[in-house]
Amino acid sequence: MASRLCSNIDIHRPSLLSGCLPAKRIPTVVLDAFSNGRLRTPARIQATISDGLPDSTEKSSSGWLHVEYPPSSRPPPTSGRLFDVQHAWELVRQDLLYCDWKARRDVLAIKTLHDKAVEVLNPLARDQKSVETLRHELEALQHDLIEAHEQVVHLSEARVAYSLQKLAEMEALVNDKLLQQGTIAESGPKTVDPLPSDGDFAESNARIKHKNRRKGPLNVSGPVKGYSEAIRNFWYPIAFSADVSGETMVPFECFEEPWVIFRGKDGRVGCVQNSCAHRACPLHLGSVNDGCIQCPYHGWEYSTDGVCQKMPSTKFVNVSIRALPCLERDGLIWIWPGGGIPEPTIPSLLPPTGFTVHSEIVLDLPVEHGLLMENLLDLAHAPFTHTSTFARGWPVPSLVKFCTPAATLKGFWDPYPIDMEFHPPCMVLSTIGISKPGKLEGNTTSECSKHLHQLHVCLPSTRGNTRLLYRMSLDFLPILKHMPFIDYLWRYLANKVLDEDLRLVLGQQDRMLRGENVWNQPVAYDKLGLRYRLWRLSIEAGSESASNGR
């Protein structure tokens, strides 16, 4: 895909004999950055790859890159009663230009890795380095190339596929409106808001911060609100890779919409709307045939990009259903449910080196996902709530603190040997020092010889329901993974711990819906949960401010 996007870039790889790279200039591309579909400051990008130092150009690790910011400009004024057609086309065009620029940058990153490989294989380098040193360097480069392929090429394809989908939707919209109107009526000159300057952004951010400043207790009460667009613009893990084989489907709800994931012919996973374009029948009730999901009602078949491939017993017409950007990494399947351009990076959720994954569990819970997140980020309740499971026999300390740098979302619990970290938008990683039942060995994880590593993912399903993904890893007794029926034991223990929490969180949710404030009196050990709630409110406030400014 990357080569197809960058067909107009002429890059000659260096020869092992000559070691020379001819300089080629990449065509200039004008790029407009976006945030939630709004234009930001445009930038003109011009890149030149060369072995010699160009004049007035700074050297970077990915080639020679010169970025020039032209004066602020605005889209051409247009007119129209129902919608601004030319402005809409301009937005889609700039979206594709952005993806094209990202693909060019990805190619430069891969070229840099290639140059490293050439340097290692150079005959002069072989004379100065031992075979063992060269072997380690080649292994490291091979790992870097694999990582570049997964993170660069696949993410570029996801961004381009998303932009092409938006272009097709816009084209259909324009055609429909033109057919209805015949032509766009002139309605006089229409003013277009100028692009905000850096000063405008600073002033806007200051207003948001002032608005979010708490006066007294934080108030979280009343019915659960709908999810804002800003909270959707993240990569979300929605399933474990091991749960999706070539013939299975996994249905789920995300932000109150039904979806289903399955694998195509090439083995790559796709996420499509769980509703047939014909009669809205749930597709997960059907089957997967030759990489396509077949509707159980009339046999219509859809590929992983949502395009209908077969329509038995009738004349074929071109239809499709919605599909989300979807990829696979670290044993998890991720989707991008928002309307913005997918981010180019995904956080790694793998356990640390030396740990073995023992169990992966998926549960659907009748709890609002924010309350469940705050429960997972709170360890002070353990000796009072989990008295029959992992905290049985724990002493009640005189003081519990969560030690963390200012304004961050990770740290460690004192006096518990537990490290914890929050990854936006809904992932919690924790490492727990294991000792004898009923006892705590040391105050930090480094003082413990055995550890339990946990991943919790709280996916917002509907306003009052959460899809929980749980992964458990141990750095001792790896043979436990191969014991018969061990999965049933881990699931039983996980459910037992969760039940101890649920009876309290469900009661808390009931009081919240009745109008009581669940953050009425925060104390010192609520630091991590409180910071999560403030982060979430700031995201929602930013989305609300942006929508009001349109």
Side-chain angles (χ1 to χ4, degrees):
M1 172 61 74
S3 62
R4 184 166 66 252
L5 288 172
C6 305
S7 60
N8 60 340
I9 304 177
D10 188 6
I11 297 177
H12 295 281
R13 296 189 173 181
S15 168
L16 292 177
L17 297 178
S18 64
C20 122
L21 174 65
K24 292 293 180 179
R25 184 163 299 277
I26 302 175
T28 299
V29 177
V30 177
L31 162 68
D32 286 338
F34 284 82
S35 176
N36 293 330
R38 299 195 65 194
L39 280 167
R40 295 293 179 93
T41 305
R44 182 173 299 275
I45 306 299
Q46 180 173 296
T48 304
I49 303 173
S50 173
D51 279 345
L53 179 64
D55 295 335
S56 66
T57 307
E58 296 182 0
K59 187 173 181 180
S60 68
S61 60
S62 60
W64 302 104
L65 186 64
H66 179 68
V67 182
E68 177 186 348
Y69 292 93
S72 170
S73 62
R74 64 179 66 180
T78 56
S79 61
R81 291 182 178 177
L82 296 180
F83 66 99
D84 190 339
V85 178
Q86 293 187 12
H87 193 203
W89 276 111
E90 179 67 14
L91 291 179
V92 175
R93 186 180 71 83
Q94 298 293 349
D95 198 355
L96 290 174
L97 286 177
Y98 173 77
C99 289
D100 179 66
W101 172 80
K102 292 293 292 183
R104 295 169 188 269
R105 194 182 69 172
D106 296 343
V107 170
L108 290 177
I110 294 177
K111 174 200 167 294
T112 301
L113 293 175
H114 174 267
D115 291 343
K116 290 182 180 179
V118 171
E119 180 182 354
V120 171
L121 294 174
N122 189 288
L124 295 178
R126 288 202 301 269
D127 293 340
Q128 299 175 1
K129 298 180 181 179
S130 65
V131 175
E132 188 67 19
T133 302
L134 289 173
R135 186 175 67 83
H136 286 305
E137 290 184 357
L138 287 174
E139 289 178 354
L141 286 171
Q142 184 180 15
H143 178 269
D144 290 343
L145 286 171
I146 293 175
E147 185 116 352
H149 174 73
E150 291 181 353
Q151 185 168 347
V152 175
V153 178
H154 289 179
L155 287 172
S156 293
E157 291 181 357
R159 291 195 298 268
V160 172
Y162 172 81
S163 296
L164 291 177
Q165 178 186 350
K166 298 295 288 186
L167 178 61
E169 293 175 359
M170 185 61 65
E171 183 179 8
L173 176 64
V174 171
N175 290 337
D176 291 343
K177 295 298 182 181
L178 291 179
L179 287 175
Q180 293 174 9
Q181 297 179 349
T183 183
I184 299 178
E186 294 292 336
S187 59
K190 181 180 179 181
T191 60
V192 179
D193 293 336
L195 296 177
S197 64
D198 293 340
D200 295 333
F201 283 126
E203 182 181 354
S204 176
N205 290 334
R207 287 198 302 268
I208 293 173
K209 289 180 180 179
H210 178 75
K211 181 179 179 180
N212 292 339
R213 189 175 299 157
R214 292 191 298 124
K215 297 180 180 179
L218 178 66
N219 189 1
V220 179
S221 61
V224 180
K225 299 179 181 179
Y227 297 109
S228 67
E229 182 63 26
I231 203 68
R232 300 169 185 252
N233 286 320
F234 290 90
W235 284 106
Y236 282 86
I238 47 90
F240 292 108
S241 298
D243 294 336
V244 186
S245 65
E247 298 179 355
T248 61
M249 296 172 286
V250 176
F252 66 97
E253 284 190 282
C254 181
F255 294 111
E256 303 186 272
E257 293 182 300
W259 303 93
V260 60
I261 54 177
F262 65 102
R263 296 190 183 276
K265 275 186 177 181
D266 56 0
R268 296 182 64 178
V269 72
C271 179
V272 299
Q273 179 184 356
N274 192 7
S275 182
C276 182
H278 178 211
R279 300 286 299 279
C281 179
L283 293 175
H284 77 275
L285 300 178
S287 59
V288 177
N289 297 325
D290 197 22
C292 290
I293 188 171
Q294 185 183 69
C295 177
Y297 208 172
H298 297 92
W300 289 24
E301 296 187 8
Y302 302 89
S303 54
T304 54
D305 58 0
V307 178
C308 185
Q309 304 293 335
K310 291 183 181 180
M311 291 182 183
S313 308
T314 187
K315 182 181 178 181
F316 183 85
V317 293
N318 292 323
V319 297
S320 62
I321 55 179
R322 289 178 61 197
L324 296 179
C326 183
L327 52 84
E328 197 167 2
R329 182 180 176 185
D330 295 342
L332 290 164
I333 297 172
W334 303 69
I335 63 169
W336 181 274
I341 298 176
E343 293 292 335
T345 57
I346 289 180
S348 176
L349 302 181
L350 286 175
T353 304
F355 282 79
T356 301
V357 176
H358 284 261
S359 181
E360 293 180 335
I361 301 172
V362 180
L363 299 169
D364 291 307
L365 306 175
V367 180
E368 193 271 327
H369 96 287
L371 291 178
L372 187 60
M373 284 291 307
E374 291 162 354
N375 172 264
L376 295 172
L377 295 171
D378 172 22
L379 261 296
H381 73 276
F384 305 98
T385 304
H386 300 289
T387 54
S388 63
T389 54
F390 71 91
R392 182 177 183 179
W394 279 19
V396 179
S398 59
L399 180 65
V400 177
K401 297 185 297 182
F402 183 76
C403 303
T404 174
T408 62
L409 292 167
K410 65 179 180 179
F412 65 93
W413 289 90
D414 181 17
Y416 303 133
I418 300 174
D419 299 335
M420 186 169 286
E421 181 176 359
F422 168 73
H423 278 285
C426 63
M427 292 87 77
V428 180
L429 294 171
S430 59
T431 302
I432 304 174
I434 301 292
S435 60
K436 295 180 181 179
K439 293 184 179 181
L440 294 176
E441 180 185 353
N443 294 335
T444 64
T445 55
S446 60
E447 298 176 2
C448 301
S449 57
K450 302 174 183 177
H451 302 87
L452 163 70
H453 186 271
Q454 299 182 110
L455 164 66
H456 291 88
V457 177
C458 298
L459 180 71
S461 297
T462 61
R463 296 191 189 188
N465 294 275
T466 300
R467 181 180 179 86
L468 176 65
L469 276 64
Y470 174 74
R471 174 190 279 168
M472 185 199 74
S473 307
L474 301 173
D475 64 352
F476 61 96
L477 291 179
I479 195 173
L480 287 177
K481 183 176 182 179
H482 305 289
M483 291 182 61
F485 308 111
I486 191 66
D487 287 342
Y488 294 98
L489 174 61
W490 295 137
R491 183 175 288 272
Y492 168 76
L493 293 176
N495 279 309
K496 192 172 182 180
V497 173
L498 189 60
D499 287 342
E500 291 176 326
D501 283 318
L502 277 182
R503 68 187 185 91
L504 304 178
V505 178
L506 286 173
Q508 183 186 34
Q509 180 174 261
D510 175 71
R511 301 302 188 273
M512 181 187 72
L513 296 176
R514 295 171 184 263
E516 294 192 34
N517 184 10
V518 298
W519 278 109
N520 190 50
Q521 190 64 47
V523 294
Y525 54 65
D526 293 323
K527 184 184 299 183
L528 189 56
L530 186 63
R531 286 183 180 178
Y532 159 75
R533 178 61 70 170
L534 293 175
W535 169 84
R536 178 174 168 179
L537 291 176
S538 68
I539 293 292
E540 294 171 349
S543 175
E544 181 181 352
S545 176
S547 62
N548 291 338
R550 286 193 178 96

